């Protein structure tokens, strides 16, 4: 089974900061990686799919990059409404199985 | 607009059974893979199961294989999760999600399953 290592587990930053979260796969997953945002008490929301494609309606300050085993999620300028936990998720193509990273809890300094 | 509404969560004793339902609207249900994803209290997300558009393929996380069964009724725009032999570590909020072939693009609000004596 593919393991996903997400870091850091928590992060504190100031409004306007550039924030970066990484996700590492235990084997090559090509670009089969998505990123989600989950606010407290709410369902997750898809932000980025296939490593770097922005989901419709998601602000452009969110971006993703990477392929193979190493992936990065970036918020270019942190806003107060970005306080949430962020998860990466990889998918196997055949069969279609999924693994989430452990999550990164982001808060404001 | 896409809506997914889960129901059926409850307090159940270890070894018991429960059936979750998810009512879908706002999209062509029969065109999409569907999934269940769970989240234990204070923990991260865990994919549980997914099902192909016509129900012909179903996949499960190892920890629920043989105990949980995912199914769908395209005529009723509904997704189900039959959970048997429930254990304490099945306690979680269970989310219904659209997708499951590649990504989960819409999620319901979740339903809480508590397994405890």
């Amino acid at each position: 089974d593919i393991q996903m290592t997400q870091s850091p587990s928590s992060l504190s930053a100031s409004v306007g900061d550039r924030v970066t979260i990484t996700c590492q796969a235990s084997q090559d997953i090509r670009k089969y990686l998505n990123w989600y945002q989950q606010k407290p008490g709410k369902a997750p929301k898809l932000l980025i799919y296939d490593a770097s494609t922005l989901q419709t309606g998601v602000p452009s300050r969110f971006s993703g990059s990477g392929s193979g085993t190493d992936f990065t999620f970036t918020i270019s300028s942190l806003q107060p409404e970005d306080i949430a936990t962020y998860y990466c998720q990889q998918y196997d193509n055949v069969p279609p199985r999924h693994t989430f990273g452990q999550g990164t809890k982001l808060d404001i300094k | 607009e896409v809506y997914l509404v889960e129901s059926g969560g409850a307090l159940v004793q270890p070894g018991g059974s429960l059936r979750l339902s998810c009512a879908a609207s706002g999209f062509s249900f029969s065109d999409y893979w569907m999934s269940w994803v769970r989240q234990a209290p204070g923990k991260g997300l865990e994919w549980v199961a997914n099902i192909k558009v016509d129900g012909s393929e179903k996949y499960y996380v190892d920890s629920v294989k043989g105990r949980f069964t995912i199914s769908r009724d395209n005529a009723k725009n509904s997704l189900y999760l039959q959970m048997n032999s429930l254990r304490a570590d099945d306690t979680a909020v269970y989310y219904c999600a659209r997708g499951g072939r590649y990504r989960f693009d819409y999620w319901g609000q979740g339903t809480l399953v508590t397994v405890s004596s």
Side-chain angles (χ1 to χ4, degrees):
Chain A
D1 286 3
I2 298 174
Q3 306 301 316
M4 303 303 296
T5 303
Q6 186 175 340
S7 62
S9 56
S10 63
L11 177 57
S12 200
S14 300
V15 172
D17 281 356
R18 182 181 184 87
V19 170
T20 298
I21 298 169
T22 65
C23 210
Q24 186 171 58
S26 58
Q27 59 186 269
D28 187 347
I29 59 170
R30 299 167 66 176
K31 287 202 159 192
Y32 299 157
L33 187 102
N34 307 315
W35 291 95
Y36 299 83
Q37 175 193 65
Q38 186 179 33
K39 296 184 178 181
K42 300 294 186 182
K45 174 185 176 183
L46 176 65
L47 299 180
I48 304 281
Y49 64 92
D50 294 345
S52 59
T53 303
L54 198 65
Q55 174 72 346
T56 302
V58 173
S60 59
R61 65 180 181 274
F62 297 101
S63 65
S65 64
S67 64
T69 61
D70 295 300
F71 300 85
T72 300
F73 171 81
T74 301
I75 306 173
S76 60
S77 177
L78 184 66
Q79 300 302 304
E81 61 266 31
D82 299 337
I83 298 313
T85 299
Y86 293 84
Y87 294 92
C88 63
Q89 170 245 327
Q90 73 85 24
Y91 59 92
D92 295 329
N93 218 350
V94 180
R97 299 166 58 90
H98 306 268
T99 307
F100 287 91
Q102 302 92 324
T104 296
K105 187 175 183 180
L106 174 61
D107 60 29
I108 297 283
K109 258 186 208 174
Chain B
E1 191 169 350
V2 172
Y3 286 102
L4 298 169
V5 180
E6 303 94 337
S7 60
L11 170 64
V12 61
Q13 291 189 339
S17 297
L18 208 56
R19 188 196 198 206
L20 305 183
S21 299
C22 171
S25 61
F27 66 101
S28 180
F29 182 75
S30 59
D31 287 343
Y32 288 85
W33 282 68
M34 295 295 296
S35 300
W36 290 98
V37 177
R38 68 184 178 183
Q39 186 169 37
K43 302 297 184 183
L45 301 168
E46 180 182 42
W47 166 75
V48 174
N50 55 7
I51 185 168
K52 195 176 179 180
V53 293
D54 59 358
S56 61
E57 295 179 32
K58 305 174 185 182
Y59 301 94
Y60 301 90
V61 67
D62 287 347
S63 59
V64 309
K65 276 181 187 173
R67 300 188 300 122
F68 290 12
T69 302
I70 189 171
S71 62
R72 65 191 296 161
D73 186 335
N74 287 344
K76 294 183 178 180
N77 291 339
S78 293
L79 177 72
Y80 307 101
L81 186 67
Q82 178 66 43
M83 303 186 294
N84 299 331
S85 302
L86 282 161
R87 312 186 305 218
D89 62 358
D90 294 318
T91 294
V93 173
Y94 284 74
Y95 293 101
C96 166
R98 191 177 83 167
R101 185 70 181 85
Y102 306 112
R103 58 189 175 268
F104 311 110
D105 62 356
Y106 286 93
W107 300 60
Q109 84 290 347
T111 188
L112 177 62
V113 173
T114 303
V115 184
S116 175
S117 54

